[in-house]
């Protein structure tokens, strides 16, 4: 992997990622609709709207591997999700294929399976249970990844990311936390491991309270460093300040599940 394209450069993950990826790959091109405000003089950036296929194909030219973090990263209106995460994701995979990119690491989300209950342990072969239009768009992205892998030989890794941060910030995050260094380890497996064809991994650290069976990632050599339990006290102190959420607290996706929820009110 010589030339990497990372989309979603104006998003929340980049500030940590840029430090951790520095020097790992000879050339990194960042892109987003908006220019990130932490852009260094030595960093390459191109402003691109993922909904514009021609623009996406231009930035995919000459790229060996793509880390697709771009798109809308929380629940949004149908039109927002449609343009950013459905059309945008299709454009990304199609451009990668047409331009001969070898690998794509797709930032999926835990919200593709957010409606599993917290007393359920889920692996990567379960039926998707999206908790939002956003989660459904991530499930769509995973399906597209499988299509381009199986039909065109693109090597695709989907990361069902939990919550990236320096520490887990509440009770739910004790289960889904992903230390930035562990995210980089997963990205590197996706971009470099010789046996990747199409894989789904959970983007979580070594979380004793977790709900996900991440043995597929471990099979590819993933050894997470982060241990959410080291932060239990502070996470639970923050939790104590939060209002209870009877629906969100029942399901893995938390507040994404309770948003717009009215299933219990149907006859
Ligand atoms: C996500 O998919 C979001 O992008 C992020 O903002 C967090 O809300 C995270 O999930 C989470 O589940 O905590």
């Amino acid at each position: 992997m010589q030339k990497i394209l990372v989309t979603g450069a104006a998003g929340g993950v980049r500030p940590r990622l840029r430090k951790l990826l520095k020097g790992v790959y000879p050339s990194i091109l960042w892109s987003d609709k908006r220019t990130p405000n932490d852009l260094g003089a030595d960093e390459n950036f191109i402003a691109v709207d993922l909904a514009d296929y021609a623009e996406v194909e231009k930035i995919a030219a000459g790229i060996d591997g793509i880390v697709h973090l771009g798109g809308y990263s929380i629940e949004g209106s149908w039109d927002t999700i449609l343009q950013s995460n459905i059309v945008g994701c299709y454009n990304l995979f199609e451009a990668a294929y047409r331009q001969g990119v070898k690998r794509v690491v797709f930032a999926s989300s835990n919200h593709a399976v957010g409606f599993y209950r917290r007393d359920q342990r889920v692996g990567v072969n379960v039926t998707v249970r999206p908790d939002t239009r956003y989660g459904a768009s991530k499930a769509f992205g995973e399906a597209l990844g499988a299509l381009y892998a199986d039909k065109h030989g693109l090597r695709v890794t989907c990361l069902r990311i939990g919550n990236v941060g320096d520490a887990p910030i509440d009770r739910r995050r004790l289960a889904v936390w992903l230390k930035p260094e562990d995210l980089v380890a997963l990205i590197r497996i996706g971009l470099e491991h010789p046996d990747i064809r199409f894989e789904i991994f959970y983007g979580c650290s070594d979380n004793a309270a977790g709900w996900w069976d991440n043995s597929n990632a471990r099979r590819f050599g993933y050894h997470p460093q982060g241990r959410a339990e080291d932060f239990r006290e502070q996470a639970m102190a923050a939790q104590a300040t939060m209002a209870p959420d009877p629906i969100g607290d029942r399901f893995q996706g938390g507040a994404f599940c309770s948003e717009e929820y009215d299933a219990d009110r149907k006859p």
Side-chain angles (χ1 to χ4, degrees):
M1 291 281 116
Q2 294 293 310
K3 249 194 130 185
I4 302 302
L5 165 67
V6 187
T7 66
V13 176
R14 184 184 120 93
R16 295 176 182 96
L17 213 54
R18 66 191 284 245
K19 293 189 194 119
L20 296 170
L21 280 181
K22 215 179 177 99
V24 175
Y25 300 106
S27 161
I28 300 182
L29 173 61
W30 296 87
S31 94
D32 205 304
K33 261 206 282 207
R34 292 173 291 126
T35 307
N37 45 26
D38 61 351
L39 201 63
D42 59 340
E43 289 182 298
N44 294 321
F45 172 82
I46 300 187
V48 157
D49 182 352
L50 290 170
D52 182 332
Y53 179 76
E55 282 189 41
V56 181
E57 202 176 313
K58 263 189 236 154
I59 56 165
I63 295 290
D64 298 313
I66 300 178
V67 182
H68 182 41
L69 306 175
Y72 203 69
S73 65
I74 52 172
E75 179 61 317
S77 70
W78 170 237
D79 195 52
T80 301
I81 297 296
L82 176 64
Q83 294 309 320
S84 303
N85 294 12
I86 303 287
V87 176
C89 193
Y90 171 79
N91 286 347
L92 191 286
F93 276 110
E94 178 69 9
Y97 162 53
R98 298 238 167 249
Q99 286 298 326
V101 174
K102 296 180 194 76
R103 295 185 183 230
V104 173
V105 175
F106 169 58
S108 180
S109 167
N110 71 94
H111 297 289
V113 288
F115 262 122
Y116 281 96
R117 291 190 318 270
R118 294 189 185 189
D119 60 5
Q120 290 174 296
R121 187 168 170 79
V122 297
V124 294
N125 292 323
V126 295
T127 304
V128 290
R129 300 290 291 271
D131 54 26
T132 38
R133 290 173 289 278
Y134 163 70
S137 76
K138 292 299 184 179
F140 172 77
E142 291 182 2
L144 270 184
L147 172 65
Y148 280 87
D150 292 336
K151 188 158 281 194
H152 302 301
L154 191 65
R155 296 177 185 226
V156 178
T157 305
C158 301
L159 304 180
R160 284 186 185 159
I161 297 176
N163 188 251
V164 182
D166 296 328
I169 52 174
D170 57 21
R171 183 174 49 216
R172 180 175 162 274
R173 270 47 173 258
L174 285 171
V176 308
W177 178 54
L178 177 59
K179 187 178 162 117
E181 284 79 357
D182 291 336
L183 171 59
V184 170
L186 288 166
I187 289 174
R188 293 196 62 175
I189 292 171
L191 290 178
E192 298 169 34
H193 197 292
D195 299 332
I196 294 283
R197 292 292 180 273
F198 172 78
E199 298 297 336
I200 298 177
F201 302 148
Y202 282 95
C204 59
S205 289
D206 185 11
N207 305 336
W211 306 303
W212 306 323
D213 172 359
N214 214 11
S215 47
N216 197 36
R218 289 178 186 266
R219 208 162 59 83
F220 282 85
Y222 177 51
H223 295 293
Q225 301 171 14
R227 285 166 34 98
E229 289 305 308
D230 294 346
F231 304 92
R232 176 165 284 273
E233 213 173 306
Q234 70 192 61
M236 291 312 284
Q239 182 72 36
T241 67
M242 295 163 64
D245 176 356
I247 302 304
D249 292 345
R250 203 193 308 161
F251 296 107
Q252 298 184 5
F256 284 60
C257 295
S258 44
E259 209 176 328
E260 299 176 34
Y261 183 89
D262 60 5
D264 290 349
R265 272 173 261 139
K266 296 287 185 278

